[in-house]
Amino acid sequence: MSNSDTKQARVDNLQQVQAARKEDSADRVFKAIERLQKINGKINFTTIAKEANVSVSYLYKYPEIKQRIAEVRNKQSSFPTSPVAQPNSSSTGKIITRLKEKIQQLENENKELKRKHEALAGQVYRVHYLQEQVERQQQIIEGLQGKLKGEQLDSKLTPISSKRKTTIDEQIQSELDSLDIGLNPTLTKTIKSANESTVLAAIEAFKEQLSKKDIPNPEGWLNKAIKEGWTKPELVLQTSSKPEYQVVAVANQPAKELLSIDKLQQLSTIFNQKHE
């Protein structure tokens, strides 16, 4: 149901309530006239308003009611005034008493009906008000649902690479346990934000450094190594471009002193004597 249809329905309901109130008040006025006629009571706008429990201005508001009261009042004034029955007379006193009780009962019933009528009118108004609130909340919910669908679609398009790891790899955890390195919040965050190869390379660098000397703060050292991408230094085997055997020219050889034949014989004799 659109807002225009809702507003028109509310206007129609209020008009029905007003029409019902008018009909109820008019009915009470005409019944009040009849009651006063039966007991020969004085009929004018004041007495009718009091008897029907309405205001005098209300009687002047509707031409048909105003005309009816005027006719009855003029007709009553044209008749000779009848003597008022004494309260103590047996038949008249009982009739008046019963009529007064009936009037009081009707007045009480009218008041109760009026109260229920006003309560019903208030409930009708509240129902329309709540209906408008429900429609407004539904519009808000639809808007929020649209935004939520858009956000869900954006989250589905997020690249997988941008998602952080929620747990630490078993191999990394095993290496940390073997090195007796505890996980503090800073190191844990750094490990989760880096890829596995970077972390393992930093651990190897840590092992190399630990083999040379003690590390006072292993967690801090490893955290920095992961952030800066440290790796284990590799051994570089330097190969000579020179051949294994080098031919040295005679001119390049160092000058040596030549032994004489006599000197060689003396050395040979000494060597042989030692081995005999």
Side-chain angles (χ1 to χ4, degrees):
M1 183 182 291
S2 62
N3 292 334
S4 59
D5 294 338
T6 302
K7 292 180 179 179
Q8 185 60 40
R10 185 169 67 252
V11 171
D12 294 340
N13 288 334
L14 292 176
Q15 289 178 350
Q16 292 177 1
V17 171
Q18 291 176 353
R21 287 182 178 179
K22 177 182 176 182
E23 184 178 357
D24 178 69
S25 299
D27 182 65
R28 285 188 280 124
V29 169
F30 291 124
K31 287 182 178 180
I33 293 173
E34 292 178 0
R35 289 196 299 271
L36 291 175
Q37 283 180 323
K38 288 180 181 180
I39 63 174
N40 293 326
K42 187 175 181 180
I43 295 177
N44 54 39
F45 285 89
T46 302
T47 57
I48 294 299
K50 183 177 180 180
E51 184 70 15
N53 195 22
V54 296
S55 63
V56 176
S57 61
Y58 172 82
L59 301 178
Y60 284 97
K61 184 177 180 180
Y62 299 100
E64 62 273 18
I65 296 177
K66 179 181 178 181
Q67 183 179 358
R68 175 61 177 164
I69 294 174
E71 290 176 357
V72 174
R73 182 186 60 183
N74 296 334
K75 184 176 180 181
Q76 187 183 55
S77 61
S78 64
F79 292 150
T81 304
S82 57
V84 179
Q86 297 296 327
N88 294 331
S89 58
S90 58
S91 58
T92 305
K94 292 179 180 180
I95 293 173
I96 292 174
T97 302
R98 287 198 298 270
L99 289 174
K100 286 183 178 180
E101 292 175 353
K102 185 65 175 178
I103 291 171
Q104 186 63 39
Q105 180 182 355
L106 293 173
E107 287 180 351
N108 294 335
E109 291 177 357
N110 286 335
K111 289 180 180 179
E112 182 65 19
L113 290 174
K114 182 180 180 181
R115 185 188 65 80
K116 291 181 179 179
H117 189 274
E118 291 176 350
L120 180 61
Q123 291 178 358
V124 170
Y125 175 78
R126 179 169 177 79
V127 167
H128 288 297
Y129 173 78
L130 292 176
Q131 189 173 4
E132 289 183 351
Q133 294 296 320
V134 169
E135 292 177 355
R136 190 176 305 167
Q137 294 297 326
Q138 287 178 345
Q139 293 176 355
I140 295 174
I141 291 172
E142 291 175 358
L144 293 176
Q145 287 177 344
K147 292 181 179 179
L148 181 59
K149 289 181 180 178
E151 292 178 356
Q152 289 177 347
L153 181 60
D154 292 340
S155 64
K156 290 180 180 179
L157 297 176
T158 303
I160 298 175
S161 59
S162 65
K163 296 181 180 179
R164 288 189 173 183
K165 296 180 291 185
T166 56
T167 58
I168 295 177
D169 185 76
E170 292 182 1
Q171 182 179 358
I172 295 175
Q173 185 63 57
S174 177
E175 292 284 351
L176 295 176
D177 293 341
S178 65
L179 295 172
D180 197 22
I181 296 177
L183 284 173
N184 54 38
T186 302
L187 181 58
T188 301
K189 183 178 179 181
T190 301
I191 292 175
K192 289 183 178 180
S193 61
N195 55 52
E196 183 179 350
S197 60
T198 301
V199 177
L200 292 175
I203 291 175
E204 291 300 321
F206 177 85
K207 291 179 180 179
E208 177 68 18
Q209 181 67 15
L210 189 63
S211 65
K212 296 178 180 179
K213 63 178 181 179
D214 292 336
I215 300 176
N217 183 12
E219 290 79 8
W221 195 99
L222 182 59
N223 184 71
K224 186 176 182 180
I226 295 172
K227 285 186 175 181
E228 297 183 2
W230 294 357
T231 59
K232 176 181 178 181
E234 297 180 358
L235 294 177
V236 179
L237 298 177
Q238 296 182 354
T239 58
S240 176
S241 60
K242 297 180 180 180
E244 184 177 357
Y245 299 99
Q246 184 177 6
V247 178
V248 181
V250 175
N252 294 333
Q253 292 181 352
K256 295 183 179 180
E257 181 181 0
L258 298 177
L259 298 176
S260 62
I261 297 175
D262 295 335
K263 188 70 173 177
L264 290 174
Q265 290 178 352
Q266 291 177 1
L267 292 174
S268 176
T269 302
I270 294 171
F271 178 79
N272 291 329
Q273 289 176 356
K274 287 182 178 181
H275 288 278
E276 284 179 356

